[in-house]
Amino acid sequence: MQHAAARMLHGVILAKPTAVLVDGAQLIRIAFPSLMRRLDVRGTFETADALIEAQQRADVTVLELHGPMELRAGVTALRSLVAARYTVCVYTSESSPFVHAACLASGAAGVVSKTATIDLAQSAFLEVAGGAIEFPPGLLMRLQLLGERDGLRVLSPREREILAMRATGLTISEIAAVLEEPEATATREWRAITLVLRDFLACASLDMAARLLDLDCADPPDLWPSR
């Protein structure tokens, strides 16, 4: 009998990516494993400290980021998990591009909106578990506009072209078709681009990020990591 955390592909058993959840809501902690069936959920925890104490590791740690009153505590939890070398994907109902950028600048491997369908959210968690960086669409569009103004010189012209296609909603498969290259190549290129973009945010000061990306910093400015 196959293990519950495995799936079959052409007769070969492939393990599901592993995940843990940090969420203060008991109902969500109970429901999450049933909703995310493409993930092997190894545990759910009320706090980041509880996860770190348990030393439970996984391919992706899904962190619920509430807002707006809990934003500081949520970003503090994110930084604690990143410092403990967890790969964190923020799952949030917060829509502020500034908050999204602050999470990525603080080391998150992705930000996923709770308004997304379960299928889309689960696909994003799988991408992060596989080594990708997940940018929310609104922030991606701001970065693309910055690239159009020649303000993203950390990217080559070809990389800015790929960013522009991704920001307009093209899938990796569609980008590969446009570029007439294998999908695996387009995937590698996109992952490399997202790593550069996250590093760009991580190196930017609050003033620089706000100015270049036209971010509204009405949220507490200390959400942005200090340098």
Side-chain angles (χ1 to χ4, degrees):
M1 181 176 178
Q2 294 180 25
H3 189 275
R7 57 190 175 89
M8 295 288 292
L9 180 63
H10 304 307
V12 178
I13 298 178
L14 300 175
K16 292 180 182 179
T18 57
V20 290
L21 171 71
V22 177
D23 194 310
Q26 184 179 21
L27 181 61
I28 301 299
R29 296 198 303 274
I30 292 171
F32 189 80
S34 298
L35 294 173
M36 304 295 168
R37 294 188 177 276
R38 294 166 63 194
L39 292 166
D40 174 14
V41 180
R42 295 292 179 89
T44 61
F45 299 85
E46 186 174 357
T47 65
D49 288 343
L51 170 57
I52 293 170
E53 184 177 354
Q55 298 184 12
Q56 176 64 64
R57 291 287 169 175
D59 297 317
V60 59
T61 297
V62 178
L63 172 66
E64 169 70 22
L65 184 68
H66 298 279
M69 298 301 293
E70 300 89 350
L71 281 178
R72 277 196 180 95
V75 173
T76 297
L78 165 63
R79 291 172 184 161
S80 296
L81 290 167
V82 170
R85 299 186 180 278
Y86 285 87
T87 299
V88 183
C89 188
V90 171
Y91 194 32
T92 182
S93 56
E94 177 59 55
S95 60
S96 164
F98 169 70
V99 174
H100 297 168
C103 287
L104 288 159
S106 296
V111 176
V112 177
S113 173
K114 293 192 76 175
T115 62
T117 66
I118 293 298
D119 283 346
L120 287 176
Q122 186 168 219
S123 293
F125 299 150
L126 287 165
E127 285 292 308
V128 172
I133 306 294
E134 188 71 21
F135 276 77
L139 183 56
L140 206 58
M141 290 186 68
R142 288 169 187 258
L143 287 162
Q144 186 265 327
L145 288 172
L146 178 60
E148 284 187 355
R149 301 194 301 269
D150 201 28
L152 265 182
R153 296 188 181 181
V154 292
L155 298 181
S156 68
R158 176 186 174 84
E159 288 171 333
R160 290 199 293 270
E161 179 187 4
I162 294 173
L163 170 60
M165 288 189 282
R166 197 76 176 98
T168 57
L170 267 64
T171 66
I172 297 298
S173 297
E174 291 168 335
I175 292 172
V178 171
L179 298 176
E180 298 182 338
E181 66 182 18
E183 186 172 337
T185 301
T187 298
R188 286 195 300 271
E189 289 178 316
W190 176 240
R191 289 189 175 186
I193 290 167
T194 58
L195 284 170
V196 171
L197 291 176
R198 189 179 65 169
D199 287 347
F200 170 77
L201 291 174
C203 292
S205 67
L206 172 61
D207 289 344
M208 176 182 173
R211 174 172 48 83
L212 293 179
L213 298 174
D214 192 25
L215 296 174
D216 179 2
C217 300
D219 294 296
D222 56 356
L223 293 182
W224 198 264
S226 59
R227 302 292 171 234

